[in-house]
Amino acid sequence: MPTSQDLHDSSALAIIREMLDKADVRINGDRPWDMIMRDESVAERVLAYGSLGLGESYMDGDWHAERLDEFFTRVLAARLDREVEHPIRLAIHAIRHRLFNLQNMRRAWQVGQVHYDLGNGFYEKMLDRRMTYTCGYWAQASDLESAQEAKLDMICRKLDLKPGQRVLDIGCGWGSFMRFAAEHYGVECVGVTISKEQAAHGQKLCEGMPVEFRLMDYRELDEKFDHIASVGMFEHVGHKNHHTYFQVARRCLKDGGLFLLHTIGKNRRHSTPDPWIDRYIFPNGDLPSLDQIAEAVEDQFIIEDLHNIGADYDRTLIAWNENFQAAWPELSGQFDERFKRMWEYYLQACAGAFRARTIQVWQLVLSPNGVPGGYRRPL
C-alpha cells in the first residue's frame, strides 16, 4: 500500500489533498473512508474531468477506499463536487442537457439497452426475490426483503387499491409492484417498459396472474385506468418531456383515480446530470427538482401528498452492494474486473449521496380534480 510520502506533491495533488481535508478525508490514510491513491495521475484527472475523472480512475484501479460509501458521504456533504466542476467541460455538458431532448422517442430506449438489459440473472442476484429495483422503505424493516415489501404495500395503500380495479404501471420493470398489487389487493395491472429483458422475464414471473407487460414508450399510452403508479421511471423522462409525461398520465387516469409518482429528485433545479453516471450507468438520465414537477403538473393534477423517503435509499443501495459482492464469484465469469469496479462505485457512491442528503426520493400522490374532503395519507 502506498504512503503519503510515496506520492510527490505535484500542484494537482496538493490541490486535491487540500480539498479532501475539508471533508476529513486523507490521501493514503488509515481510516476506512480515506482515499488510497495508487497513481498520482488521479489528481490531475479529477481536476481536469471532475466526477468523470474520479469515476474512471477508480474503474482503472488507480485508487480505492475501504468504505467507498463513507468516502462519498463526506465528500458530498462538504460539497466538494462543486469545487471540481471544470467550467468549460461542465458548460458543454450543461448545454447539451438543456438544449437537446435527450429522452425523445428514439433515444429513450438507450437506457433499457445499456442498463436494464444487462441480464435478468445479474439482477436476480443483486435484488430482492421480487426484483424490486427502487428504494425500499426501512421504517420498520430489518432486511431488504421486508423493506421492499413495506414499500410496495405502502404504494398500494396510498392508492387505496380495491379488488377489480385496473391499474397502470408506467415503467414497470420486472413487475414487482404489479405482482404484489395483484396478489394482495386483487387488482388487474398493465405495465409498460422499454427493456426487452424486463418484459420477457416479468411476463414469465407473472404467469397466471392478471398482469400484462407491454414493450412500448409511455407516450403511446391512450386508455383509461382506475389508478396509476410510476415507481423509479420518471428519472428517465427528461425535463423537456415532463409536461408531456403528465399529459399522458392525465388522459389515462379516470377522474376519480389517483396517480402515485415515486422518483429520485435533486435539490437544485439548474444542476446537471452527473457526467460519470450519464456515461456509464444511466444514459440520458435527468433527475427532476420539486419545482420542475410542480410546474409540469400545473393545470393537470392537484398534489395531494408529498413524502420524502430518500434517506432509506442509503440502506437499500448498501444491501444491493452486499448482494453484488457476494455473487461476484459467480458473476465474474460473465463480467470483467473493470465492470465490478464500475458497479460497486455506482452503488456505493449513490449510497453516499443519499446519506449526505444531496439527492432525495419523493412519493407524490396526485389527483385530477382534488379528493373530496381531502386526501389522508394512510399510516
Side-chain angles (χ1 to χ4, degrees), residues 143-154:
D143 55 49
L144 182 62
E145 293 290 339
S146 56
Q148 294 294 14
E149 182 168 321
K151 187 268 301 295
L152 295 173
D153 189 63
M154 178 168 64

Side-chain angles (χ1 to χ4, degrees), residues 81-82 85 87 90-99 239-240 242 265-275 285-293 295 358 362:
D81 55 317
R82 302 183 190 180
E85 292 176 342
L90 187 65
I92 294 173
H93 183 63
I95 290 171
R96 174 178 175 269
H97 168 71
R98 291 174 185 171
L99 295 187
H239 63 282
K240 288 188 174 295
H242 285 173
K266 60 187 180 182
N267 296 334
R268 296 188 298 154
R269 179 187 182 111
H270 295 297
S271 60
T272 54
D274 179 88
D286 183 16
L287 299 185
S289 64
L290 269 181
D291 68 324
Q292 286 176 320
I293 295 174
E295 182 179 301
T358 59
W362 299 308

Side-chain angles (χ1 to χ4, degrees), residues 172-193:
C172 61
W174 293 275
S176 61
F177 165 71
M178 297 193 295
R179 288 160 59 199
F180 185 90
E183 180 181 358
H184 295 277
Y185 286 83
V187 297
E188 299 178 8
C189 296
V190 172
V192 297
T193 176

Side-chain angles (χ1 to χ4, degrees), residues 92-111:
I92 294 173
H93 183 63
I95 290 171
R96 174 178 175 269
H97 168 71
R98 291 174 185 171
L99 295 187
F100 299 99
N101 185 355
L102 302 179
Q103 302 81 14
N104 59 35
M105 290 280 281
R106 178 180 57 84
R107 297 177 62 94
W109 295 80
Q110 290 181 356
V111 69

Side-chain angles (χ1 to χ4, degrees), residues 50-70:
S51 71
L52 187 61
L54 185 67
E56 289 184 335
S57 59
Y58 184 88
M59 291 165 62
D60 291 340
D62 291 339
W63 72 275
H64 78 279
E66 181 183 340
R67 285 289 306 277
L68 197 58
D69 57 317
E70 190 59 25

